[in-house]
Structures are given as C-alpha cells and as structure tokens.
Amino acid sequence: MVRLQHPALDGAAGQQNLVVATPAGDKRGAAEAVGRLLGLREPPTAVFAEQDEVAVAVIWTLRATGIEVPGQMSVVGFDDQPVAQWFDLTTVAQSPSRIGREAGELALSLIDDPGADRERHLVLPTHVIPRTTTAPPPAPRPEPQLPPD
C-alpha cells in the first residue's frame, strides 16, 4: 500500500482523512486518492508519496485537472528511482547498498549469536533531492468581501 499524505499533520490522530491509501502502480487509485484529498474542506498544499512511481501518477492527475505542480501543489516521492530524475521529481533518497550491507550484518550477528537482540532497529540516513516539483505553498486567497451598503 502507498499513502498520500498531507504535509502538515499537526494533531493528525483524529484526522485520518489526511492519509489516503492506494495500491502501488495503480494510476486510477492514485487519481481517486488525489480526488479525496482535493475534496477536503482545506485541501493540502503538498503530497508525499511513499514511492516515486505513485508521485508521478499524482503529478499526472493534478496536471490533468488543471492544478499546477509546483505552483498550486508540491509533490515529493521516495526512493530516487530513475523515474524521479526523468520527471524532475523532488524525492527522498536512501542508499540501497547500505541497507543491504546493514541487513546482512544484522542477519550474520543473529546467526553468530542466537541470543542477540532480535528487536534491534537501525535508522539509516536519507536525504532530500530537491527538483522542480516542490515550491513554497501558495499565498492564501483573501476571503471575498461584500461591498458596503
């Protein structure tokens, strides 16, 4: 599953509508998820997709509905797959080789020492690769004023 997420999740525990799930690689599902986010009373100004491929589907959907990326909505993907560079997508990158190396070392430590901590977790570094799908949020539109009587 992939989640499209509102970037400002302050107090999100009671706001489950800010996280929208869709199967990976499902362009139609991504379009429906974007529709749900855009239908919110206060739609987000940015979307974070857990995979670059889904982020591209989000961009396609937004542009097909006349929403400018990044002018009206920013989009960020994850993994820095080749598609991210092709679409000039802002993405979060990680090192697959380091992940593999660390996983192998953890597995070997469990093999060598059956009493080793099986719940051990590692947090590996990531970094953002800024490209052309993100920008500061647009300025809020002023509320319409009624003419004086």
Side-chain angles (χ1 to χ4, degrees):
M1 295 296 259
V2 179
R3 281 178 276 180
L4 307 177
Q5 190 164 321
H6 191 289
L9 288 174
D10 295 338
Q15 300 179 21
Q16 293 300 318
N17 59 345
L18 297 179
V19 178
V20 183
T22 183
D26 181 2
K27 192 166 139 181
R28 184 178 192 163
E32 290 171 4
V34 168
R36 283 184 291 209
L37 289 172
L38 294 176
L40 295 172
R41 191 171 62 83
E42 293 184 43
T45 59
V47 173
F48 174 80
E50 290 181 345
Q51 293 180 334
D52 291 333
E53 292 81 3
V54 173
V56 169
V58 167
I59 292 169
W60 182 88
T61 301
L62 290 169
R63 290 181 176 159
T65 59
I67 296 173
E68 296 176 25
V69 175
Q72 295 171 279
M73 179 85 67
S74 290
V75 178
V76 178
F78 189 85
D79 266 347
D80 195 30
Q81 295 298 310
V83 71
Q85 191 169 12
W86 300 335
F87 285 88
D88 212 19
L89 171 70
T90 297
T91 188
V92 177
Q94 56 185 346
S95 171
S97 60
R98 182 160 181 201
I99 292 170
R101 185 172 49 256
E102 295 290 347
E105 288 177 12
L106 281 173
L108 287 174
S109 72
L110 291 172
I111 291 168
D112 292 342
D113 179 9
D117 181 7
R118 295 182 175 278
E119 300 299 317
R120 181 173 170 217
H121 294 284
L122 292 177
V123 177
L124 300 177
T126 60
H127 64 280
V128 175
I129 300 174
R131 293 189 177 117
T132 63
T133 61
T134 51
R141 292 184 181 159
E143 293 292 322
Q145 301 294 319
L146 294 176
D149 290 331

